Amino acid sequence: MDTATPAYDALCARHLRLHRLGHLQAIAGWDRAAWMPPKGSEARAAALAELAALLHGLRTDAALGELIARAHDEPLSDLQRANLREMRRDWRLATALPSALVQRRELATARCEHAWRTQRPANDWAGFVANFREVLAVAREEATLLAEATGLSRYDALMDRFEPGMTSAVVDRLFGELRQWLPGLIQRVRERQAGERVRVPRGPFPLEAQRRLCERVMRRLGFDFDAGRLDVSTHPFCGGVPEDVRITTRFRDDDFLGSLMGTIHETGHARYEQNLPREWLGQPVAWARSMAIHESQSLAFEMQLAVHPGFVPWLAQALAETFGAQDAFAPDNLQRLLTRVEPGRIRVDADELTYPAHVIVRYEIERPLIEGEIEADDIPALWDAKMAELLGIDTRGDFRDGPLQDVHWPEGLFGYFPCYTLGAMYAAQWFAAMRRERPDLDARIAAGDLQPVFDWLQRHVWSQASFWPTDELARRASGEALNPAHYRAHLEARYLG
């Protein structure tokens, strides 16, 4: 041990232990979603609640606060100071919450999420909301305590856990601008596409063949199967730890695009995790920077790359080789299929252009929900009104494909939804920066060379982890903080160009 930094070294040892215990927590959570038999639910919820309390106790140990204060005066490198900054942030947020509340949250969300798996297909809003009220009560308590610790509003305090430094005032401005131009763009694109003939692929699409296709595409996108795997869950997600990344998707034999594009999305998350700096692992500075940056990786893969006209011919060939030749798999038809704009009820199946509207609906409900301006029973009517306003869709009576469709609220993940659209904005900004650096980028993708994309992301995002605050990371990567103009320019170029 370097005796010049004893407090800092002690902190690193503590966080390495937290990382290893968190590894077990992550894999147990993945197993609950992917493989656990239904009758294991209550026992697993109790076990995870116990583990959450143990981890919380370690993260809030008073000795950590003393070590953080002493380490501040030690001769640290820039990397060590960045790590100490993230340690201080984690400790401050953890100490704002009592252990009993952390356990209550784990139990409430586990029960709600497990019941949601059967309540959603049954369209059972009444059954869901009975469990959800406790999740909401816990989230509001958390929000109040975190707001007191940070000086933020209650909703901002929850969002800050996912997107440090982001506030609802900024989100309101960004989403307010989106509301100004997005509906008109959707209408213009739909009018333009009205005369296009799009051939729909003919199924069925055997589930095992879909799995092989997904794994083939994951390999093409650089996923390391020696450090991760693909499984099935009710809601697709990327979990685990950088050393062992777990992707899940869901299959239907009458549709392959949902599982394929969902898998590509999660592969973007996984590549980020698998390429976080291994020499820093176990320390907060090695964590992914934020969830908007994380979503920028999934959307860089799913929307910027997989729908790129230069990548689609490879994808078309892979489809033909997996399911047999069809006219629908012709590259030009597949391109039209992947860029078809058609408002629908399901967020994860939404096209690139209508997707932000789904995010706005959720944000405009969950923010007043956490602030106490509305209650759980108000959600369905608000959902119906906002879906009608933003997408022109009548969702009355459809809870399954309405407010029950996402896992986020059952799991208490309030404040996460804005990160999807912020991530789409960042992804467009990354590709604009790539093209400035590599004017031949689109030609390289068309030639089958994806390495320039991966190399840029590795240098500017993956290898940086949490070394920089988000705005500084964006400036160093692209020359500016988040600028939504790149997102609008990308959408207009792809759909009207």
Side-chain angles (χ1 to χ4, degrees):
M1 177 181 289
D2 183 352
T3 55
T5 58
Y8 177 78
D9 292 336
L11 286 168
C12 287
R14 300 257 188 142
H15 279 279
L16 181 59
R17 186 182 182 207
L18 284 167
H19 171 73
R20 289 168 175 164
L21 290 169
H23 182 153
L24 299 178
Q25 183 184 45
I27 297 303
W30 160 83
D31 177 75
R32 178 175 65 186
W35 284 103
M36 186 190 73
K39 290 183 178 178
S41 177
E42 284 296 320
R44 182 64 55 86
L48 284 171
E50 195 73 35
L51 183 54
L54 171 63
L55 286 165
H56 185 72
L58 293 172
R59 291 172 67 205
T60 56
D61 184 352
L64 277 181
E66 297 169 7
L67 289 170
I68 289 169
R70 284 163 42 200
H72 179 76
D73 296 324
E74 293 180 341
L76 304 180
S77 67
D78 289 344
L79 173 62
Q80 290 170 326
R81 291 232 167 262
N83 195 29
L84 183 62
R85 179 196 70 221
E86 297 303 312
M87 289 175 175
R88 185 182 298 111
R89 169 182 160 78
D90 183 66
W91 185 80
R92 187 179 74 249
L93 295 180
T95 54
L97 304 177
S99 180
L101 182 59
V102 172
Q103 282 189 290
R104 260 182 67 208
R105 181 190 195 282
E106 188 67 35
L107 288 168
T109 57
R111 287 169 180 157
C112 189
E113 187 274 340
H114 185 74
W116 164 82
R117 298 184 203 180
T118 53
Q119 288 162 348
R120 184 196 172 196
N123 202 43
D124 181 10
W125 173 259
F128 169 78
V129 82
N131 290 321
F132 179 65
R133 286 194 183 94
E134 175 62 13
V135 173
L136 178 59
V138 170
R140 285 173 169 172
E141 286 186 49
E142 286 184 317
T144 298
L145 293 169
L146 290 169
E148 292 171 356
T150 60
L152 299 169
S153 72
R154 283 177 290 181
Y155 181 78
D156 285 4
L158 294 186
M159 184 165 61
D160 185 71
R161 295 196 293 188
F162 302 112
E163 194 56 26
M166 183 57 63
T167 66
S168 52
V170 175
V171 175
D172 286 344
R173 175 176 59 80
L174 294 171
F175 286 6
E177 292 173 2
L178 263 179
R179 271 180 164 273
Q180 294 299 309
W181 58 262
L182 186 63
L185 179 59
I186 292 172
Q187 182 178 347
R188 293 202 307 276
V189 172
R190 294 199 73 201
E191 290 170 355
R192 178 171 179 164
Q193 293 182 349
E196 290 183 352
R197 179 169 177 263
V198 180
R199 296 183 294 277
V200 177
R202 301 182 306 277
F205 307 100
L207 303 191
E208 189 52 42
Q210 289 192 55
R211 174 184 285 276
R212 291 196 305 272
L213 172 68
C214 287
E215 291 179 347
R216 177 178 177 178
V217 175
M218 289 168 66
R219 289 188 177 90
R220 181 75 182 91
L221 295 175
F223 182 85
D224 181 1
F225 276 94
D226 287 334
R229 55 181 289 137
L230 174 68
D231 289 284
V232 175
S233 68
T234 305
H235 192 98
F237 69 92
C238 176
V241 290
E243 307 94 320
D244 183 5
V245 177
R246 305 299 178 96
I247 287 179
T248 70
T249 191
R250 57 188 177 197
F251 298 110
R252 285 173 34 190
D253 63 8
D254 62 339
D255 170 59
F256 68 87
L257 274 179
S259 64
L260 176 61
M261 300 309 289
T263 299
I264 292 172
H265 180 99
E266 301 305 336
T267 299
H269 284 304
R271 288 298 314 272
Y272 189 13
E273 289 290 325
Q274 289 185 335
N275 286 278
L276 289 168
R278 291 302 175 102
E279 65 274 20
W280 304 350
L281 280 183
Q283 300 304 314
V285 74
W287 296 343
R289 176 59 243 161
S290 74
M291 290 318 302
I293 299 300
H294 229 309
E295 293 300 339
S296 81
Q297 302 309 288
S298 59
L299 292 166
F301 275 59
E302 180 189 8
M303 292 302 178
Q304 296 289 335
L305 186 53
V307 185
H308 191 288
F311 184 79
V312 166
W314 180 89
L315 198 56
Q317 181 179 348
L319 291 174
E321 291 173 358
T322 302
F323 302 119
Q326 293 189 29
D327 290 345
F329 296 153
D332 59 344
N333 186 74
L334 183 59
Q335 184 73 51
R336 288 193 294 270
L337 190 64
L338 290 171
T339 54
R340 191 73 177 169
V341 175
E342 189 170 348
R345 299 184 179 201
I346 306 296
R347 175 185 63 84
V348 295
D349 294 337
D351 59 80
E352 185 179 24
L353 208 50
T354 61
Y355 191 101
H358 289 270
V359 171
I360 292 171
V361 167
R362 289 151 176 79
Y363 168 69
E364 291 183 352
I365 292 174
E366 71 175 16
R367 183 184 172 193
L369 189 64
I370 292 300
E371 297 290 357
E373 298 165 14
I374 62 172
E375 296 299 331
D377 291 327
D378 299 320
I379 292 175
L382 284 168
W383 186 282
D384 294 340
K386 291 181 182 296
M387 286 294 287
E389 176 196 359
L390 285 163
L391 290 168
I393 294 175
D394 184 353
T395 58
R396 289 173 296 179
D398 185 358
F399 306 110
R400 181 187 65 184
D401 292 338
L404 287 181
Q405 68 182 266
D406 296 299
V407 75
H408 302 62
W409 289 345
E411 290 192 341
L413 300 179
F414 300 101
Y416 191 112
F417 278 119
C419 297
Y420 289 111
T421 293
L422 297 173
M425 292 175 178
Y426 277 120
Q429 190 162 323
W430 303 152
F431 270 74
M434 285 182 215
R435 290 184 174 100
R436 289 196 301 271
E437 183 180 301
R438 288 288 303 261
D440 66 340
L441 179 73
D442 297 295
R444 298 313 315 151
I445 293 172
D449 181 10
L450 308 183
Q451 203 57 44
V453 174
F454 302 151
D455 288 346
W456 191 95
L457 293 172
Q458 172 67 40
R459 287 198 313 276
H460 295 290
V461 181
W462 301 343
S463 67
Q464 302 305 300
S466 282
F467 187 83
W468 305 107
T470 308
D471 281 355
E472 184 63 19
L473 173 71
R475 288 190 193 96
R476 288 174 174 269
S478 65
E480 57 186 333
L482 179 61
N483 180 357
H486 296 293
Y487 182 52
R488 182 174 183 177
H490 157 70
L491 293 175
E492 290 177 343
R494 171 168 284 175
Y495 291 93
L496 295 178

